[in-house]
Amino acid sequence: MFFASDNWAGAHPKISAALSAHATGFASPYGTSDIDHAVEERFKEIFERDLAVFFVATGTAANSLSLATVSRIGGVAFMHREAHMIEDECGAPEFLTGGARLRPVDGSLGRMTAENLERAISHFEPEAVHAGRPMAVSVTQATEVGTVYGLDDIETIAAVARKRNLPIHMDGARFANALIALDTTPAEMTWKRGIDIVSFGGTKNGCWCAEAVVLFDTSKAHEFGFLRKRSAQLFSKSRFIGAQFDAYFADDLWLETARHSNAMSARLADAIEASAKARLAWRPQVNEVFAILDSDMIRKATEAGAAFYPWNPPSWFAGPIAENETMCRFVTSYATTSEEVDRFGALIA
Amino acid sequence: MFFASDNWAGAHPKISAALSAHATGFASPYGTSDIDHAVEERFKEIFERDLAVFFVATGTAANSLSLATVSRIGGVAFMHREAHMIEDECGAPEFLTGGARLRPVDGSLGRMTAENLERAISHFEPEAVHAGRPMAVSVTQATEVGTVYGLDDIETIAAVARKRNLPIHMDGARFANALIALDTTPAEMTWKRGIDIVSFGGTKNGCWCAEAVVLFDTSKAHEFGFLRKRSAQLFSKSRFIGAQFDAYFADDLWLETARHSNAMSARLADAIEASAKARLAWRPQVNEVFAILDSDMIRKATEAGAAFYPWNPPSWFAGPIAENETMCRFVTSYATTSEEVDRFGALIA
Amino acid sequence: MFFASDNWAGAHPKISAALSAHATGFASPYGTSDIDHAVEERFKEIFERDLAVFFVATGTAANSLSLATVSRIGGVAFMHREAHMIEDECGAPEFLTGGARLRPVDGSLGRMTAENLERAISHFEPEAVHAGRPMAVSVTQATEVGTVYGLDDIETIAAVARKRNLPIHMDGARFANALIALDTTPAEMTWKRGIDIVSFGGTKNGCWCAEAVVLFDTSKAHEFGFLRKRSAQLFSKSRFIGAQFDAYFADDLWLETARHSNAMSARLADAIEASAKARLAWRPQVNEVFAILDSDMIRKATEAGAAFYPWNPPSWFAGPIAENETMCRFVTSYATTSEEVDRFGALIA
Amino acid sequence: MFFASDNWAGAHPKISAALSAHATGFASPYGTSDIDHAVEERFKEIFERDLAVFFVATGTAANSLSLATVSRIGGVAFMHREAHMIEDECGAPEFLTGGARLRPVDGSLGRMTAENLERAISHFEPEAVHAGRPMAVSVTQATEVGTVYGLDDIETIAAVARKRNLPIHMDGARFANALIALDTTPAEMTWKRGIDIVSFGGTKNGCWCAEAVVLFDTSKAHEFGFLRKRSAQLFSKSRFIGAQFDAYFADDLWLETARHSNAMSARLADAIEASAKARLAWRPQVNEVFAILDSDMIRKATEAGAAFYPWNPPSWFAGPIAENETMCRFVTSYATTSEEVDRFGALIA
């Protein structure tokens, strides 16, 4: 009953096998090998367009360098108040962009609204050196709270940015999970809705370490090469990332693992909805479930070996939480089994 | 005949096997899992003392964060003129330290001399805000040109730094190769000679991606945790690094692979010494051979499938190079075979 | 009727005279001349304790370097949501600290409350590398909206910081105005209430350019010297700042000019209170008046030559503002005359 | 006999008078007042072309922001080994550019040669992310050692940069002195020879604090506004800089003061050449004289009240210096009198 986080899982057997398969022979380093190129072509097929893709070490690196590539002196990036970049990256985006500021935008269920974004950006208009100036908008898809932006939501938000020529970034640490939730294609969820840059994460969905920055504007690729190296994010034996992505995409493994982890969360949510001792904080769309449990239940579940974390209720959460209750987060992964979920369900039944 | 670089090799079979072995089950992320802790204990045994170890993504990251952890406003770090940090890291050390400057120090065969270091540091004495101030010394062991500092060399250099209370870093991207060349222990080559921080590299010696910063001053560990995260270098599934180091150290695999690649370079050097069509630029001590070939020989070797790079002759190189000659670098690795070397030897015989 | 800002005024005649008086003769540069030292002694007398003082070019520099001197990797500084550093410094504090983040804290009338500060800081507890960590608290005295923190307010806020060993900075761009408003001493308003660092501003109160960082912890002085130089804030002919501060403090000129500008604002506030065509947004305590005027009144005043700016109503402002009304800011200075104020009063009567 | 530095002088009486004259009345801040605009027009006349000019606080700021405005990720700026930015600015250029590196170029008499520059730049060709990439060239005019680049020298150096589209900066901390030495015009010494950006210094030549960045490419002006503010270099009462430049240019005061200080150095150099107890290290062209004195002479001169500094002999200096001799620097200024110089001449006669 490991629901602590999707990064508590290891690597899918097919990912491991791919690493072993690519371990022999000589290949040119620093992103120039055959497998690197093949994976880039694969990304183009998946996104149905020309693009440039850069492997980096972590999701934080992908987000930070995505912003860095569109950074401006005095620049301000807009994102949801509880975005990972604001809450969980230790100032890396600010540092690696050379001083950009992140401006929180409100919205319920982890999604900023276009209206709030409009208001937040217009605070910096007309442009003046004192306040600084807007430089980018970032949406997290799926969000930090297990929900997703609808395709129309993305389009509406992108429109707010687009009318100021602001680039739009998508933090896709759980990209595949969002894709499954929306039953759509990578192209539809990104550039067809106005997204310019994607932090494309594979780690949480079954890889060891497979994070990439996808640039739809290939004119930024040359510059990005320097940016990645200067940020100490250029792997020498980059084929070890390439091999993971190769297996990740083969036979739609990535969709399969995401579909599975989403389904496990839905199953878990159902169990919680059916429980008298726990209740959903809100209905999940991807592989994170937020629920409210009382302290007895938490103790009992923990003693039974369930692993999950308490969670600070988001600013927009209006529901009542009693004195002896705590909001908790449960995350499922490719490695979560329905037996585990059912065992937890039985526990809280 | 792949002598382009040691990062053209993949991963040793035992490293791949370890990754597969550790791929299943749940483990806490961000450097807190059992394997992470076990590897840290292993480092303590190997270095025969207490220490703190932090995995990072690249050798450039290890070097940059090593300097960052001892960085001071206006600080200047001293290292050999051809050090990797100066020549090959795109300004990452300067950027990730928040502005430190790297000051080149001269010395032949890739080793800075204590006298030159003394002179370089004393340029900043007495301390004044205009010039800035010394903050660290870094030695590269093995050096960039296939040589090593002797234990006495390290001690003498460290003494120059020590009398000013300057911390001393060792760039150990090829740590194991140097260890074999000197037939010594990690403790003797580092802290017993005055080294405070080591960039400990496993990637070039048979891992996929296994780089770590070793801090002998454990009081810096807490701060380093923030530094690593803020630099986007904290892996979530860090056990995938832990697993590699675990296998790397098991049964002295790391010493075996380093011994092999050093031996392959020695064999290659012998072949070059015996050749009438090539000559050694200097005798290698580890797994890099520098030789001077004429253009006919280079063409012939290349056509025969040999891969190696031309190399700018270092500033201190005094030997003659004729108009039609080029200095070239040959790097061997754990994956280099004696058959390959002999085939190349036959080619230039 | 120039109420646009206190930096629209020039320099007090005594300041100009001092610059002329010190223009001749040779003096050592970079903060080492006799007048530099004399001014430092004067600061010690005024603050009734040992301290170190550093001249810098701008208030933004004073604030940014104040934070930089207590900066930590992953650090977060807490201040009122409308603090100058957050709203009007183009990211300079973030940039010059090498990546610190500024976290807004709420509170009405431009003053953050101790309760809100407590909550904001505790968000980062227990300390973890993901969120980063608290590094400092900053209070703006006088605030951005013409009010002041009471001495007890400062003490209560400082206590929240002190129990975590967080240093406390005071942005004193209008330090003298606050001092007059509270009828207290520099010592009482700062270190006796827990303040560690002061951005001490003279520019808005009658100098050309006289900003300083005052460090009560003199152990930070040596480091600050490098910080200032590295930030390009070390004046060569620093006696031109020294001469201004010398005249500023002589015969309590600074208190006289602050008393005057405060009085002019009070007079202006009285006139607005008495007016049927304008109303105070809140009662000012120092030299800034915020009032609500309708568009007719604004047009009329502007045509009559009055200069002032519209102002975005602060987040905490609850008062009604009609469709055709605008919040406006009026700033008085040492150079404002009662005739001017009365002329404006007549205009809106 | 104050020859310690030109920044030991105060402000020319006409500069002081201008500050007093502009001290009254209200003027818009942050570089937008009438005098700011008038001074910008004056710069255009002086340079005979369109341009943008930005006041900053220090020469270090002017240099650093000049580089920052052309900075690229992984960028390297080339300048003479003893350039002020390399030797005397505490890493400010590196810090304020967000990590640019400064690469020393050799050349005798403080002037880098085009050949050495060509070699230094070509080290980074072909472009690769490891080494980083050239981003700018900077010439110091007058140099740090009292010499000047001839107009042809500038043109030849600029051609090396131009063929790679690298922008060229001139550190003109002693711009006026160089102008007088070459008997030329600002236009001829700068953009007509290929210079793109000038750090235009007035402080050493009779102002209190008057440093500016002059951009011939006005398309960079908008960005520079943010850069200046973000670096905490935007003066609020900027007319106090404007007033100084206004007086500086009026009736060619700046040329008069520069001509005077150059003449004083020439007179001093003549006295040293005529002396048996001192000898010129090299003949000065502007207001800095470098001479070699023995310890008796230094003691005697110091006891007689002469102020000057010992100087580390530059790397390119080949002349003999005996055991008991020291190279010393003597700097003259607008405030140096011929009586002083003659008094020193008598001392060493």
Side-chain angles (χ1 to χ4, degrees), chain B residues 34-333:
Chain B
D34 291 348
I35 186 83
D36 291 294
H37 293 309
V39 164
E40 183 156 38
E41 290 311 307
R42 201 71 188 85
F43 268 95
K44 290 178 190 172
E45 288 166 29
I46 283 169
F47 279 96
E48 304 171 47
R49 61 166 289 158
D50 195 26
L51 54 72
V53 61
F54 292 86
F55 306 154
V56 295
T58 63
T60 295
N63 287 337
S64 299
L65 299 194
S66 290
L67 287 193
T69 198
V70 297
S71 191
R72 310 162 71 190
I73 305 279
V76 176
F78 299 83
M79 59 198 66
H80 190 271
R81 178 174 299 284
E82 280 115 25
H84 202 262
M85 281 198 266
I86 290 181
E87 286 295 330
D88 289 303
E89 300 190 350
C90 198
E94 290 88 342
F95 178 68
L96 293 171
T97 54
R101 289 172 286 161
L102 310 187
R103 191 89 170 183
V105 179
D106 286 308
S108 63
L109 288 168
R111 308 180 194 111
M112 67 177 159
T113 65
E115 295 68 32
N116 287 342
L117 176 62
E118 176 73 37
R119 193 172 317 116
I121 297 179
S122 66
H123 179 81
F124 293 86
E125 295 167 337
E127 195 176 282
V129 298
H130 307 281
R133 52 187 170 169
M135 77 177 210
V137 170
S138 177
V139 294
T140 309
Q141 179 77 326
T143 73
E144 296 297 311
V145 295
T147 61
V148 295
Y149 287 91
L151 298 184
D152 286 356
D153 296 336
I154 298 173
E155 193 152 20
T156 315
I157 284 173
V160 174
R162 193 63 66 205
K163 73 179 176 193
R164 280 110 170 167
N165 286 316
L166 294 179
I168 307 150
H169 166 255
M170 177 177 279
D171 176 355
R174 294 189 179 91
F175 188 91
N177 301 90
L179 211 59
I180 294 297
L182 291 177
D183 192 19
T184 188
T185 68
E188 291 292 341
M189 198 168 81
T190 59
W191 61 272
K192 288 191 176 175
R193 292 300 180 283
I195 302 295
D196 299 291
I197 307 172
V198 178
S199 292
F200 189 93
T203 308
K204 291 177 189 290
N205 191 31
C207 293
W208 269 131
C209 165
E211 303 291 321
V213 173
V214 176
L215 300 174
F216 297 132
D217 177 358
T218 56
S219 74
K220 291 196 176 305
H222 182 74
E223 187 73 11
F224 200 92
F226 288 91
L227 181 58
R228 179 174 58 172
K229 177 66 188 173
R230 202 267 309 255
S231 308
Q233 293 284 341
L234 177 56
F235 288 113
S236 55
K237 296 182 176 176
S238 61
R239 61 168 144 157
F240 94 92
I241 307 286
Q244 292 180 71
F245 273 126
D246 190 53
Y248 188 64
F249 292 138
D251 304 324
D252 288 342
L253 173 62
W254 67 309
L255 301 180
E256 180 192 308
T257 50
R259 190 172 293 116
H260 175 80
S261 56
N262 281 11
M264 290 301 100
S265 271
R267 191 180 189 107
L268 181 59
D270 290 344
I272 292 169
E273 273 189 336
S275 164
K277 295 174 185 156
R279 65 183 188 280
L280 285 180
W282 53 89
R283 183 78 203 174
Q285 295 176 281
V286 294
N287 65 321
E288 294 185 299
V289 181
F290 293 78
I292 295 161
L293 281 72
D294 67 25
S295 45
D296 280 353
M297 191 64 249
I298 291 173
R299 187 169 348 98
K300 190 178 151 198
T302 305
E303 284 168 9
F308 53 91
Y309 281 118
W311 200 257
N312 284 327
S315 56
W316 44 264
F317 182 69
I321 302 182
E323 190 86 354
N324 71 330
E325 293 180 331
T326 302
M327 185 177 285
C328 298
R329 188 187 72 161
F330 302 79
V331 193
T332 56
S333 76

Side-chain angles (χ1 to χ4, degrees), chain D residues 270-348:
Chain D
D270 290 344
I272 291 169
E273 274 189 333
S275 163
K277 296 174 183 157
R279 64 180 187 282
L280 285 180
W282 53 87
R283 184 77 205 176
Q285 294 177 282
V286 294
N287 66 320
E288 293 187 298
V289 181
F290 293 79
I292 295 161
L293 282 71
D294 68 27
S295 46
D296 280 355
M297 191 64 248
I298 291 174
R299 187 170 350 99
K300 189 177 152 195
T302 306
E303 285 170 9
F308 54 91
Y309 281 118
W311 199 256
N312 283 330
S315 56
W316 44 264
F317 182 70
I321 302 182
E323 190 87 352
N324 71 329
E325 292 180 332
T326 302
M327 184 178 284
C328 297
R329 188 188 72 160
F330 302 80
V331 192
T332 56
S333 77
Y334 82 91
T336 306
T337 62
S338 49
E339 287 71 29
E340 263 183 310
V341 173
D342 293 348
R343 200 139 52 84
F344 186 79
L347 203 64
I348 62 170

Side-chain angles (χ1 to χ4, degrees), chain A residues 6 8 25 37 41 87 102 134 168-169 188 238 245 249 257 341:
Chain A
D6 33 12
W8 282 59
H37 293 310
E41 290 310 307
E87 286 295 330
L102 310 187
I168 306 150
H169 166 254
E188 290 293 341
S238 61
F245 273 126
F249 292 136
T257 51
V341 173

Side-chain angles (χ1 to χ4, degrees), chain A residues 73 127 133 222-223 230, chain D residues 73 98 127 133 222-223 230:
Chain A
I73 305 279
E127 194 176 282
R133 52 187 170 168
H222 182 74
E223 187 73 11
R230 203 267 308 256
Chain D
I73 305 279
E127 195 174 283
R133 52 187 170 169
H222 182 73
E223 187 73 11
R230 203 268 308 255

Side-chain angles (χ1 to χ4, degrees), chain A residues 14 21 30 41 60-61 65 69 71 82 124 140 146 148 154 167 173 183 195 234 243 252 260 288 291 301 305 338 348:
Chain A
K14 291 188 179 172
Y30 301 121
E41 290 310 307
T60 295
L65 300 194
T69 200
S71 191
E82 281 115 26
F124 293 86
T140 308
V148 296
I154 298 171
D183 191 19
I195 302 294
L234 176 57
D252 288 343
H260 175 79
E288 295 186 297
S338 49
I348 62 171

